[in-house]
Each structure stands twice: as C-alpha cells, then as structure tokens.
Amino acid sequence: MASSVQRKRIRKAPAARRAEIVDAAAAVALGEGLECVTLQRIADELDVRPGLISHYFGTAEDLVAEAFGAATGAELDVLLPEERTGGTCTEHLARFFALAAGPEFDRLSRLWINAWHLRGSRPVLNERVLERETAWRTRLESLVREGVARGEFRTDDPYVTTLQIIVVLDGLGAHANTDTSYRPEAVARMAVTVAEQGLGLARGALGPVGSAASE
Amino acid sequence: MASSVQRKRIRKAPAARRAEIVDAAAAVALGEGLECVTLQRIADELDVRPGLISHYFGTAEDLVAEAFGAATGAELDVLLPEERTGGTCTEHLARFFALAAGPEFDRLSRLWINAWHLRGSRPVLNERVLERETAWRTRLESLVREGVARGEFRTDDPYVTTLQIIVVLDGLGAHANTDTSYRPEAVARMAVTVAEQGLGLARGALGPVGSAASE
DNA sequence: GATGATATTGAGTGTGCCACCAATAAGCAA
DNA sequence: TTGCTTATTGGTGGCACACTCAATATCATC
C-alpha cells in the first residue's frame, strides 16, 4: 500500500523543467552511458512519470542527443574557455593538457566513444556529434592560431597541427578504461609532445617532464 | 498458412554448427555492431530457431564475446601474420600500415570502439577485449623487436614505441566514420610518421610520401 | 476567489529481447 | 533395421523499453 495515494504534482515552468531534464540526462550519460538515458531512467531520476519526458522530447533519441550535447558542451567550456582573459596561449594550452590528463577527462572520453558508436544508428545524435566535433576542433584551433599570431607558436599549418593533437588525445582516450595497464610517461605525454613539436615549442613547455624520458 | 507445416530440420555436427554460428555472429558484429548480435538475429541469419543458439551459448553475452573474438582474431592474422615467411620487417610493417589505411580496417576500428564501450557492462566481453588488446600489442611488438634484432629498426624501448603506434592508430580509427571531412596527408600518415621516427627510419620508409608534406 | 491554459499523470499498447523447458526428429551405431 | 543419443524445435513467461492519449491537478491571471 505504498503509493496508490495519488502522487503529489510539482508543476514547473517549461524552460526550467526542460533544463532539469537535460541536466539529469547529461549526468546519466556521463556516468553510465548514453544507452542508460531512457525515458524511465531519467523520469526516475527526477521523480516524475516517463510520460512527462516524452512531453518535452518527442523522441527518446532527441533526449539522448541533447544529453550528449549538454555534457560535451559544458566540458568544452571548462577545458577550453571561449573567452581567454588572462595568461598566455601557452599557459592556456598547458592547462588544457593538464586537465585532459585527469580522471574527469576519462569520463568524457568514454562518452565520446559511446557517441561515436551510436552515431551509426541514430541520425539525430550523429548530427550532434558532428557539431560538437567541429566545436572542439575550432576552439582548439583558434587557440593555436592566436598563439601563432602572438608569436608564441610556430607551425606551417595550424589546422593540421590541431588535428594531430586531437588524434592523439582520442587515441589516448580510447584506452581510458584500461587503467589497469601501466602507461609509460612517453605514452601518457604523447599529446603534449605532439603539440610541443608541432608548435615549435621547447620540450616541457606544455607540461612537466619526468625523470626517465623518451627519445 | 505459410509455415505451420513443421520445419525441415537440418542436423549438423556440434563443432560445425558452432563454427557456423560464430562466423555469422562475427559477420553481423563487423557489419552492424555488437548489439545486433542477438539470439534472434543470428538464428534468422542461419535459418534456425533462437533456442538452438542458446543451446550452444549459455548466455547471449557469451555469443557476443565470441563474435568479437573471432572477428578481431581473423583480422589480426591478416594484418600481422604470426608466421612471417619472406620479406624484411620493414616490408611487413609497411604492409600493415597500408592495410590499416584501407576501408576494411575502418570496419574493424568501429568494432573496437563498439567493444570498448560495451566492455563496461559486459564482463565476459571485457575479458575478451583485454585478451585481444594484448594479442594485438604483442604481435606488433614482436615485429618491432625482430626488426631491432635484425638491425632494421632502432629504438630505446620497443614496448613504448609499439604503444605509441597503437595510440595513433586508435586515434585515427576513432574518426573512421567521419570520412566526409577532408583528412590532410600529414594526419592520415601520422601512424607511419610516428613509427618511422620511433624506429629510426628514413621518412617514407614505411609508406609513400605525397607531394605536399608537413614540416 | 473563480477561471482557463497546460504541465503532469496513469494506464495501456506494441515491440524486442533473453531465458527456460518439454517434446521431437535426425542421424549414427549396433 | 532398430534403438539411442542429442541436436533442434516450439512455446511460454518475463522484463525493459518507446510511444500514445485522455483525464487531472496546478498555477498564473484576472
């Protein structure tokens, strides 16, 4: 005789409710994967009925795409802020790599892997993935370009260098789960190394170099 | 009144039937993803009843893991044969990179992405993934080591160099789907470049260098 | 305090999947 | 041919999910 007592309804402004749903969905996506972003799951999370989620998102896939977009968008602003107030480009880039080595970034990597796979079967999500890919790339590329303009960096092709950094980051992220295996510094530092070489920086300019070094 | 006429039964030797099932599952996994490897789907593929698949694989997850293992194992033998009869290590490695640039490798990359993601929720699959990861790594590493022994390659740490190559391959593979975007040669050739640099080889030793080059 | 717009519920439909089990027939061996 | 092993079937139950829709309660507005 638990709950047939007619639920208490809490009515919220559409915009607020929608934001609430998206936030919950993004958290679930980041923590448990995009396939756990179901009407039922998110409804439970917010203690409402599944029908309510349907009311805001015509299709479950829309919600999934929105969850992915929200999660990756928020992380992007943390890692590569649009407005760079103080500090040199080198410092900003170094900060980026420092954060990219942290555990929070691993969760993000997992989400990307998740989305890359699901993209094949979900057109709406796929569009969101493509959008976010260019967002991340352009954000990083603009940092590189500004560094070049300021004379901090030196590269033949900022676009190519940006892509090279991203490829390495993705490659490292792919194994984010396999943290049981020992990862040598020369591997863990690959992204930094590629950046330093590609941007004409001194070794160690973008991140600390440990004792035993490669090459 | 189509098919209530009692199906014709075709009885096969257990080993043969099992192999048939695994092959079909591997094909589906490679072509449509591991989540399409269901009892029903594979049964349809072979024109048998789902119960039969259950008879050979106690759990659906076992079948999925087996499908992944079969697919990646077969590809490994094609790309990096255990027995290297003729040719130098350099030639074998160059051949590997040539194949790794082909469309067939993209399908394999997708499968890996797929498995990386699913590993979290499927212990049996996870075990298979770990096993295959070391299989690929050791196979590549042994090629590197033999090259070093023969004096073809030169590296401080074969293990590290191997990992670096794999990281780049994974990074490139992550974007295997996004073939709409233009990929500059300096990016497409990254794996080869990392290998050439890490193994002390001349530029172009492991793959053709196009007209416009980077750095 | 009454009223109307609508956010929210509850209930129901349909699908796809895994897992279990008893009955059946295919093919090998005696 | 006969008998036996077992590969294969058919059917059942249960779970989780997406989607629909009429009914209802809530809040803002007057």
Side-chain angles (χ1 to χ4, degrees), chain B residues 148-182:
Chain B
V148 171
R150 289 193 191 177
E152 294 181 45
F153 305 152
R154 197 158 27 79
T155 175
D156 296 332
D157 192 334
Y159 176 69
V160 165
T161 306
T162 302
L163 284 186
Q164 289 175 331
I165 293 170
I166 291 177
V167 165
V168 173
L169 282 175
D170 289 340
L172 290 171
H175 296 272
N177 303 349
T178 317
D179 29 22
T180 54
S181 74
Y182 166 65

PDB file of all heavy atoms in Angstrom, chain B residues 148-182:
ATOM      1  N   VAL B 148      64.394  -4.795 -34.664  1.00  0.00           N
ATOM      2  CA  VAL B 148      65.530  -4.271 -33.907  1.00  0.00           C
ATOM      3  C   VAL B 148      66.675  -5.289 -33.914  1.00  0.00           C
ATOM      4  O   VAL B 148      67.829  -4.950 -34.152  1.00  0.00           O
ATOM      5  CB  VAL B 148      65.123  -3.937 -32.465  1.00  0.00           C
ATOM      6  CG1 VAL B 148      66.358  -3.612 -31.626  1.00  0.00           C
ATOM      7  CG2 VAL B 148      64.145  -2.769 -32.445  1.00  0.00           C
ATOM      8  N   ALA B 149      66.319  -6.541 -33.677  1.00  0.00           N
ATOM      9  CA  ALA B 149      67.322  -7.612 -33.638  1.00  0.00           C
ATOM     10  C   ALA B 149      68.052  -7.739 -34.973  1.00  0.00           C
ATOM     11  O   ALA B 149      69.252  -7.987 -35.029  1.00  0.00           O
ATOM     12  CB  ALA B 149      66.645  -8.940 -33.274  1.00  0.00           C
ATOM     13  N   ARG B 150      67.290  -7.545 -36.043  1.00  0.00           N
ATOM     14  CA  ARG B 150      67.899  -7.666 -37.368  1.00  0.00           C
ATOM     15  C   ARG B 150      68.659  -6.399 -37.769  1.00  0.00           C
ATOM     16  O   ARG B 150      69.240  -6.336 -38.851  1.00  0.00           O
ATOM     17  CB  ARG B 150      66.817  -7.918 -38.421  1.00  0.00           C
ATOM     18  CG  ARG B 150      66.192  -9.297 -38.356  1.00  0.00           C
ATOM     19  CD  ARG B 150      65.389  -9.516 -39.633  1.00  0.00           C
ATOM     20  NE  ARG B 150      64.553 -10.695 -39.559  1.00  0.00           N
ATOM     21  CZ  ARG B 150      63.726 -11.056 -40.541  1.00  0.00           C
ATOM     22  NH1 ARG B 150      63.638 -10.308 -41.625  1.00  0.00           N
ATOM     23  NH2 ARG B 150      62.989 -12.137 -40.426  1.00  0.00           N
ATOM     24  N   GLY B 151      68.574  -5.381 -36.934  1.00  0.00           N
ATOM     25  CA  GLY B 151      69.280  -4.142 -37.262  1.00  0.00           C
ATOM     26  C   GLY B 151      68.516  -3.229 -38.189  1.00  0.00           C
ATOM     27  O   GLY B 151      69.019  -2.210 -38.644  1.00  0.00           O
ATOM     28  N   GLU B 152      67.247  -3.605 -38.466  1.00  0.00           N
ATOM     29  CA  GLU B 152      66.447  -2.751 -39.356  1.00  0.00           C
ATOM     30  C   GLU B 152      65.914  -1.523 -38.610  1.00  0.00           C
ATOM     31  O   GLU B 152      65.851  -0.429 -39.155  1.00  0.00           O
ATOM     32  CB  GLU B 152      65.262  -3.527 -39.930  1.00  0.00           C
ATOM     33  CG  GLU B 152      65.636  -4.657 -40.871  1.00  0.00           C
ATOM     34  CD  GLU B 152      64.395  -5.357 -41.401  1.00  0.00           C
ATOM     35  OE1 GLU B 152      63.445  -4.652 -41.801  1.00  0.00           O
ATOM     36  OE2 GLU B 152      64.344  -6.599 -41.378  1.00  0.00           O
ATOM     37  N   PHE B 153      65.497  -1.771 -37.367  1.00  0.00           N
ATOM     38  CA  PHE B 153      64.922  -0.685 -36.559  1.00  0.00           C
ATOM     39  C   PHE B 153      65.886  -0.292 -35.448  1.00  0.00           C
ATOM     40  O   PHE B 153      66.754  -1.073 -35.040  1.00  0.00           O
ATOM     41  CB  PHE B 153      63.593  -1.114 -35.920  1.00  0.00           C
ATOM     42  CG  PHE B 153      62.575  -1.610 -36.905  1.00  0.00           C
ATOM     43  CD1 PHE B 153      61.609  -2.545 -36.511  1.00  0.00           C
ATOM     44  CD2 PHE B 153      62.552  -1.160 -38.226  1.00  0.00           C
ATOM     45  CE1 PHE B 153      60.665  -3.010 -37.413  1.00  0.00           C
ATOM     46  CE2 PHE B 153      61.601  -1.623 -39.135  1.00  0.00           C
ATOM     47  CZ  PHE B 153      60.661  -2.552 -38.719  1.00  0.00           C
ATOM     48  N   ARG B 154      65.652   0.904 -34.929  1.00  0.00           N
ATOM     49  CA  ARG B 154      66.469   1.364 -33.827  1.00  0.00           C
ATOM     50  C   ARG B 154      65.570   2.147 -32.864  1.00  0.00           C
ATOM     51  O   ARG B 154      64.965   3.152 -33.224  1.00  0.00           O
ATOM     52  CB  ARG B 154      67.585   2.272 -34.357  1.00  0.00           C
ATOM     53  CG  ARG B 154      68.745   2.519 -33.402  1.00  0.00           C
ATOM     54  CD  ARG B 154      70.002   2.948 -34.211  1.00  0.00           C
ATOM     55  NE  ARG B 154      69.633   3.601 -35.474  1.00  0.00           N
ATOM     56  CZ  ARG B 154      69.236   4.879 -35.568  1.00  0.00           C
ATOM     57  NH1 ARG B 154      69.164   5.639 -34.510  1.00  0.00           N
ATOM     58  NH2 ARG B 154      68.934   5.395 -36.745  1.00  0.00           N
ATOM     59  N   THR B 155      65.419   1.629 -31.648  1.00  0.00           N
ATOM     60  CA  THR B 155      64.563   2.301 -30.670  1.00  0.00           C
ATOM     61  C   THR B 155      65.051   2.033 -29.249  1.00  0.00           C
ATOM     62  O   THR B 155      65.610   0.971 -28.971  1.00  0.00           O
ATOM     63  CB  THR B 155      63.096   1.832 -30.794  1.00  0.00           C
ATOM     64  OG1 THR B 155      62.324   2.425 -29.759  1.00  0.00           O
ATOM     65  CG2 THR B 155      62.998   0.322 -30.647  1.00  0.00           C
ATOM     66  N   ASP B 156      64.825   3.006 -28.390  1.00  0.00           N
ATOM     67  CA  ASP B 156      65.228   2.833 -26.986  1.00  0.00           C
ATOM     68  C   ASP B 156      64.364   1.792 -26.305  1.00  0.00           C
ATOM     69  O   ASP B 156      64.836   0.979 -25.526  1.00  0.00           O
ATOM     70  CB  ASP B 156      65.095   4.167 -26.231  1.00  0.00           C
ATOM     71  CG  ASP B 156      66.043   5.217 -26.774  1.00  0.00           C
ATOM     72  OD1 ASP B 156      67.096   4.805 -27.301  1.00  0.00           O
ATOM     73  OD2 ASP B 156      65.718   6.414 -26.692  1.00  0.00           O
ATOM     74  N   ASP B 157      63.082   1.845 -26.608  1.00  0.00           N
ATOM     75  CA  ASP B 157      62.138   0.977 -25.922  1.00  0.00           C
ATOM     76  C   ASP B 157      61.069   0.471 -26.885  1.00  0.00           C
ATOM     77  O   ASP B 157      60.132   1.193 -27.205  1.00  0.00           O
ATOM     78  CB  ASP B 157      61.490   1.752 -24.768  1.00  0.00           C
ATOM     79  CG  ASP B 157      60.713   0.847 -23.840  1.00  0.00           C
ATOM     80  OD1 ASP B 157      60.246  -0.223 -24.303  1.00  0.00           O
ATOM     81  OD2 ASP B 157      60.569   1.187 -22.659  1.00  0.00           O
ATOM     82  N   PRO B 158      61.229  -0.760 -27.354  1.00  0.00           N
ATOM     83  CA  PRO B 158      60.275  -1.317 -28.327  1.00  0.00           C
ATOM     84  C   PRO B 158      58.837  -1.274 -27.811  1.00  0.00           C
ATOM     85  O   PRO B 158      57.901  -1.025 -28.577  1.00  0.00           O
ATOM     86  CB  PRO B 158      60.749  -2.766 -28.481  1.00  0.00           C
ATOM     87  CG  PRO B 158      62.176  -2.747 -28.087  1.00  0.00           C
ATOM     88  CD  PRO B 158      62.286  -1.707 -27.017  1.00  0.00           C
ATOM     89  N   TYR B 159      58.696  -1.514 -26.520  1.00  0.00           N
ATOM     90  CA  TYR B 159      57.356  -1.529 -25.933  1.00  0.00           C
ATOM     91  C   TYR B 159      56.684  -0.158 -26.064  1.00  0.00           C
ATOM     92  O   TYR B 159      55.543  -0.046 -26.509  1.00  0.00           O
ATOM     93  CB  TYR B 159      57.446  -1.941 -24.464  1.00  0.00           C
ATOM     94  CG  TYR B 159      56.138  -1.912 -23.718  1.00  0.00           C
ATOM     95  CD1 TYR B 159      55.139  -2.839 -24.009  1.00  0.00           C
ATOM     96  CD2 TYR B 159      55.895  -0.958 -22.732  1.00  0.00           C
ATOM     97  CE1 TYR B 159      53.929  -2.820 -23.318  1.00  0.00           C
ATOM     98  CE2 TYR B 159      54.687  -0.935 -22.039  1.00  0.00           C
ATOM     99  CZ  TYR B 159      53.712  -1.861 -22.340  1.00  0.00           C
ATOM    100  OH  TYR B 159      52.528  -1.834 -21.657  1.00  0.00           O
ATOM    101  N   VAL B 160      57.420   0.867 -25.688  1.00  0.00           N
ATOM    102  CA  VAL B 160      56.877   2.230 -25.761  1.00  0.00           C
ATOM    103  C   VAL B 160      56.545   2.614 -27.202  1.00  0.00           C
ATOM    104  O   VAL B 160      55.467   3.154 -27.488  1.00  0.00           O
ATOM    105  CB  VAL B 160      57.856   3.240 -25.145  1.00  0.00           C
ATOM    106  CG1 VAL B 160      57.485   4.662 -25.539  1.00  0.00           C
ATOM    107  CG2 VAL B 160      57.884   3.095 -23.632  1.00  0.00           C
ATOM    108  N   THR B 161      57.464   2.323 -28.095  1.00  0.00           N
ATOM    109  CA  THR B 161      57.227   2.661 -29.497  1.00  0.00           C
ATOM    110  C   THR B 161      55.985   1.949 -30.026  1.00  0.00           C
ATOM    111  O   THR B 161      55.172   2.533 -30.737  1.00  0.00           O
ATOM    112  CB  THR B 161      58.446   2.276 -30.355  1.00  0.00           C
ATOM    113  OG1 THR B 161      59.620   2.876 -29.794  1.00  0.00           O
ATOM    114  CG2 THR B 161      58.272   2.752 -31.776  1.00  0.00           C
ATOM    115  N   THR B 162      55.843   0.697 -29.646  1.00  0.00           N
ATOM    116  CA  THR B 162      54.663  -0.061 -30.054  1.00  0.00           C
ATOM    117  C   THR B 162      53.393   0.609 -29.553  1.00  0.00           C
ATOM    118  O   THR B 162      52.431   0.798 -30.300  1.00  0.00           O
ATOM    119  CB  THR B 162      54.732  -1.501 -29.501  1.00  0.00           C
ATOM    120  OG1 THR B 162      55.917  -2.128 -29.980  1.00  0.00           O
ATOM    121  CG2 THR B 162      53.521  -2.296 -29.937  1.00  0.00           C
ATOM    122  N   LEU B 163      53.399   0.973 -28.283  1.00  0.00           N
ATOM    123  CA  LEU B 163      52.221   1.624 -27.719  1.00  0.00           C
ATOM    124  C   LEU B 163      51.907   2.934 -28.445  1.00  0.00           C
ATOM    125  O   LEU B 163      50.749   3.248 -28.713  1.00  0.00           O
ATOM    126  CB  LEU B 163      52.434   1.904 -26.227  1.00  0.00           C
ATOM    127  CG  LEU B 163      52.309   0.721 -25.275  1.00  0.00           C
ATOM    128  CD1 LEU B 163      52.397   1.198 -23.834  1.00  0.00           C
ATOM    129  CD2 LEU B 163      50.991  -0.012 -25.495  1.00  0.00           C
ATOM    130  N   GLN B 164      52.958   3.676 -28.748  1.00  0.00           N
ATOM    131  CA  GLN B 164      52.735   4.953 -29.427  1.00  0.00           C
ATOM    132  C   GLN B 164      52.070   4.752 -30.785  1.00  0.00           C
ATOM    133  O   GLN B 164      51.167   5.504 -31.161  1.00  0.00           O
ATOM    134  CB  GLN B 164      54.061   5.689 -29.576  1.00  0.00           C
ATOM    135  CG  GLN B 164      54.590   6.220 -28.243  1.00  0.00           C
ATOM    136  CD  GLN B 164      55.958   6.856 -28.357  1.00  0.00           C
ATOM    137  OE1 GLN B 164      56.747   6.490 -29.217  1.00  0.00           O
ATOM    138  NE2 GLN B 164      56.242   7.804 -27.471  1.00  0.00           N
ATOM    139  N   ILE B 165      52.519   3.744 -31.483  1.00  0.00           N
ATOM    140  CA  ILE B 165      51.903   3.453 -32.785  1.00  0.00           C
ATOM    141  C   ILE B 165      50.431   3.091 -32.600  1.00  0.00           C
ATOM    142  O   ILE B 165      49.553   3.572 -33.327  1.00  0.00           O
ATOM    143  CB  ILE B 165      52.643   2.290 -33.494  1.00  0.00           C
ATOM    144  CG1 ILE B 165      54.050   2.722 -33.876  1.00  0.00           C
ATOM    145  CG2 ILE B 165      51.867   1.832 -34.720  1.00  0.00           C
ATOM    146  CD1 ILE B 165      54.927   1.577 -34.365  1.00  0.00           C
ATOM    147  N   ILE B 166      50.170   2.276 -31.603  1.00  0.00           N
ATOM    148  CA  ILE B 166      48.788   1.839 -31.367  1.00  0.00           C
ATOM    149  C   ILE B 166      47.895   3.009 -30.979  1.00  0.00           C
ATOM    150  O   ILE B 166      46.763   3.123 -31.451  1.00  0.00           O
ATOM    151  CB  ILE B 166      48.760   0.750 -30.277  1.00  0.00           C
ATOM    152  CG1 ILE B 166      49.390  -0.529 -30.818  1.00  0.00           C
ATOM    153  CG2 ILE B 166      47.344   0.506 -29.794  1.00  0.00           C
ATOM    154  CD1 ILE B 166      49.474  -1.650 -29.804  1.00  0.00           C
ATOM    155  N   VAL B 167      48.415   3.884 -30.151  1.00  0.00           N
ATOM    156  CA  VAL B 167      47.618   5.049 -29.740  1.00  0.00           C
ATOM    157  C   VAL B 167      47.206   5.870 -30.962  1.00  0.00           C
ATOM    158  O   VAL B 167      46.044   6.266 -31.105  1.00  0.00           O
ATOM    159  CB  VAL B 167      48.405   5.930 -28.746  1.00  0.00           C
ATOM    160  CG1 VAL B 167      47.749   7.299 -28.609  1.00  0.00           C
ATOM    161  CG2 VAL B 167      48.480   5.252 -27.393  1.00  0.00           C
ATOM    162  N   VAL B 168      48.149   6.099 -31.847  1.00  0.00           N
ATOM    163  CA  VAL B 168      47.827   6.888 -33.039  1.00  0.00           C
ATOM    164  C   VAL B 168      46.832   6.148 -33.924  1.00  0.00           C
ATOM    165  O   VAL B 168      45.878   6.745 -34.450  1.00  0.00           O
ATOM    166  CB  VAL B 168      49.099   7.227 -33.832  1.00  0.00           C
ATOM    167  CG1 VAL B 168      48.742   7.894 -35.152  1.00  0.00           C
ATOM    168  CG2 VAL B 168      49.991   8.142 -33.006  1.00  0.00           C
ATOM    169  N   LEU B 169      47.024   4.862 -34.082  1.00  0.00           N
ATOM    170  CA  LEU B 169      46.081   4.080 -34.893  1.00  0.00           C
ATOM    171  C   LEU B 169      44.676   4.160 -34.307  1.00  0.00           C
ATOM    172  O   LEU B 169      43.691   4.323 -35.028  1.00  0.00           O
ATOM    173  CB  LEU B 169      46.528   2.618 -34.974  1.00  0.00           C
ATOM    174  CG  LEU B 169      47.662   2.317 -35.939  1.00  0.00           C
ATOM    175  CD1 LEU B 169      48.087   0.864 -35.820  1.00  0.00           C
ATOM    176  CD2 LEU B 169      47.228   2.622 -37.371  1.00  0.00           C
ATOM    177  N   ASP B 170      44.606   4.051 -32.985  1.00  0.00           N
ATOM    178  CA  ASP B 170      43.302   4.139 -32.333  1.00  0.00           C
ATOM    179  C   ASP B 170      42.692   5.521 -32.521  1.00  0.00           C
ATOM    180  O   ASP B 170      41.489   5.661 -32.743  1.00  0.00           O
ATOM    181  CB  ASP B 170      43.438   3.824 -30.839  1.00  0.00           C
ATOM    182  CG  ASP B 170      43.717   2.350 -30.598  1.00  0.00           C
ATOM    183  OD1 ASP B 170      43.441   1.539 -31.504  1.00  0.00           O
ATOM    184  OD2 ASP B 170      44.209   2.009 -29.504  1.00  0.00           O
ATOM    185  N   GLY B 171      43.527   6.521 -32.398  1.00  0.00           N
ATOM    186  CA  GLY B 171      43.032   7.885 -32.570  1.00  0.00           C
ATOM    187  C   GLY B 171      42.492   8.113 -33.971  1.00  0.00           C
ATOM    188  O   GLY B 171      41.451   8.735 -34.155  1.00  0.00           O
ATOM    189  N   LEU B 172      43.204   7.595 -34.958  1.00  0.00           N
ATOM    190  CA  LEU B 172      42.734   7.727 -36.337  1.00  0.00           C
ATOM    191  C   LEU B 172      41.470   6.905 -36.550  1.00  0.00           C
ATOM    192  O   LEU B 172      40.533   7.330 -37.220  1.00  0.00           O
ATOM    193  CB  LEU B 172      43.833   7.270 -37.305  1.00  0.00           C
ATOM    194  CG  LEU B 172      45.047   8.187 -37.405  1.00  0.00           C
ATOM    195  CD1 LEU B 172      46.153   7.524 -38.212  1.00  0.00           C
ATOM    196  CD2 LEU B 172      44.664   9.513 -38.044  1.00  0.00           C
ATOM    197  N   GLY B 173      41.452   5.736 -35.942  1.00  0.00           N
ATOM    198  CA  GLY B 173      40.302   4.852 -36.093  1.00  0.00           C
ATOM    199  C   GLY B 173      39.038   5.413 -35.473  1.00  0.00           C
ATOM    200  O   GLY B 173      37.938   5.138 -35.942  1.00  0.00           O
ATOM    201  N   ALA B 174      39.225   6.207 -34.450  1.00  0.00           N
ATOM    202  CA  ALA B 174      38.058   6.780 -33.771  1.00  0.00           C
ATOM    203  C   ALA B 174      37.233   7.618 -34.727  1.00  0.00           C
ATOM    204  O   ALA B 174      36.020   7.726 -34.587  1.00  0.00           O
ATOM    205  CB  ALA B 174      38.498   7.616 -32.585  1.00  0.00           C
ATOM    206  N   HIS B 175      37.911   8.197 -35.699  1.00  0.00           N
ATOM    207  CA  HIS B 175      37.195   9.039 -36.647  1.00  0.00           C
ATOM    208  C   HIS B 175      36.983   8.334 -37.973  1.00  0.00           C
ATOM    209  O   HIS B 175      36.803   8.971 -39.007  1.00  0.00           O
ATOM    210  CB  HIS B 175      37.969  10.339 -36.871  1.00  0.00           C
ATOM    211  CG  HIS B 175      38.064  11.163 -35.638  1.00  0.00           C
ATOM    212  ND1 HIS B 175      37.103  12.072 -35.288  1.00  0.00           N
ATOM    213  CD2 HIS B 175      38.972  11.179 -34.644  1.00  0.00           C
ATOM    214  CE1 HIS B 175      37.435  12.630 -34.140  1.00  0.00           C
ATOM    215  NE2 HIS B 175      38.569  12.108 -33.726  1.00  0.00           N
ATOM    216  N   ALA B 176      37.016   7.028 -37.920  1.00  0.00           N
ATOM    217  CA  ALA B 176      36.872   6.240 -39.141  1.00  0.00           C
ATOM    218  C   ALA B 176      35.548   6.537 -39.830  1.00  0.00           C
ATOM    219  O   ALA B 176      35.446   6.500 -41.047  1.00  0.00           O
ATOM    220  CB  ALA B 176      36.966   4.750 -38.820  1.00  0.00           C
ATOM    221  N   ASN B 177      34.560   6.850 -39.028  1.00  0.00           N
ATOM    222  CA  ASN B 177      33.242   7.103 -39.606  1.00  0.00           C
ATOM    223  C   ASN B 177      33.177   8.448 -40.333  1.00  0.00           C
ATOM    224  O   ASN B 177      32.543   8.583 -41.353  1.00  0.00           O
ATOM    225  CB  ASN B 177      32.189   7.094 -38.511  1.00  0.00           C
ATOM    226  CG  ASN B 177      32.205   5.779 -37.753  1.00  0.00           C
ATOM    227  OD1 ASN B 177      32.858   4.822 -38.176  1.00  0.00           O
ATOM    228  ND2 ASN B 177      31.496   5.734 -36.653  1.00  0.00           N
ATOM    229  N   THR B 178      33.838   9.406 -39.757  1.00  0.00           N
ATOM    230  CA  THR B 178      33.765  10.762 -40.297  1.00  0.00           C
ATOM    231  C   THR B 178      34.624  10.888 -41.536  1.00  0.00           C
ATOM    232  O   THR B 178      35.614  11.600 -41.548  1.00  0.00           O
ATOM    233  CB  THR B 178      34.264  11.783 -39.250  1.00  0.00           C
ATOM    234  OG1 THR B 178      33.740  11.432 -37.992  1.00  0.00           O
ATOM    235  CG2 THR B 178      33.818  13.180 -39.617  1.00  0.00           C
ATOM    236  N   ASP B 179      34.244  10.200 -42.586  1.00  0.00           N
ATOM    237  CA  ASP B 179      35.044  10.282 -43.790  1.00  0.00           C
ATOM    238  C   ASP B 179      34.565  11.425 -44.680  1.00  0.00           C
ATOM    239  O   ASP B 179      35.108  11.659 -45.740  1.00  0.00           O
ATOM    240  CB  ASP B 179      35.029   8.961 -44.553  1.00  0.00           C
ATOM    241  CG  ASP B 179      33.751   8.216 -44.322  1.00  0.00           C
ATOM    242  OD1 ASP B 179      32.755   8.846 -43.944  1.00  0.00           O
ATOM    243  OD2 ASP B 179      33.748   7.007 -44.522  1.00  0.00           O
ATOM    244  N   THR B 180      33.540  12.099 -44.221  1.00  0.00           N
ATOM    245  CA  THR B 180      33.077  13.238 -45.008  1.00  0.00           C
ATOM    246  C   THR B 180      34.106  14.363 -44.935  1.00  0.00           C
ATOM    247  O   THR B 180      34.332  15.068 -45.916  1.00  0.00           O
ATOM    248  CB  THR B 180      31.739  13.768 -44.469  1.00  0.00           C
ATOM    249  OG1 THR B 180      31.900  14.050 -43.081  1.00  0.00           O
ATOM    250  CG2 THR B 180      30.642  12.733 -44.639  1.00  0.00           C
ATOM    251  N   SER B 181      34.731  14.496 -43.774  1.00  0.00           N
ATOM    252  CA  SER B 181      35.687  15.586 -43.612  1.00  0.00           C
ATOM    253  C   SER B 181      36.994  15.262 -44.333  1.00  0.00           C
ATOM    254  O   SER B 181      37.435  14.131 -44.363  1.00  0.00           O
ATOM    255  CB  SER B 181      35.958  15.815 -42.132  1.00  0.00           C
ATOM    256  OG  SER B 181      36.779  14.793 -41.625  1.00  0.00           O
ATOM    257  N   TYR B 182      37.576  16.271 -44.847  1.00  0.00           N
ATOM    258  CA  TYR B 182      38.846  16.125 -45.545  1.00  0.00           C
ATOM    259  C   TYR B 182      39.950  15.827 -44.543  1.00  0.00           C
ATOM    260  O   TYR B 182      40.079  16.501 -43.531  1.00  0.00           O
ATOM    261  CB  TYR B 182      39.137  17.426 -46.301  1.00  0.00           C
ATOM    262  CG  TYR B 182      40.551  17.535 -46.787  1.00  0.00           C
ATOM    263  CD1 TYR B 182      41.042  16.663 -47.754  1.00  0.00           C
ATOM    264  CD2 TYR B 182      41.393  18.522 -46.289  1.00  0.00           C
ATOM    265  CE1 TYR B 182      42.350  16.766 -48.198  1.00  0.00           C
ATOM    266  CE2 TYR B 182      42.696  18.627 -46.740  1.00  0.00           C
ATOM    267  CZ  TYR B 182      43.171  17.749 -47.695  1.00  0.00           C
ATOM    268  OH  TYR B 182      44.458  17.858 -48.131  1.00  0.00           O
TER     269      TYR B 182
END
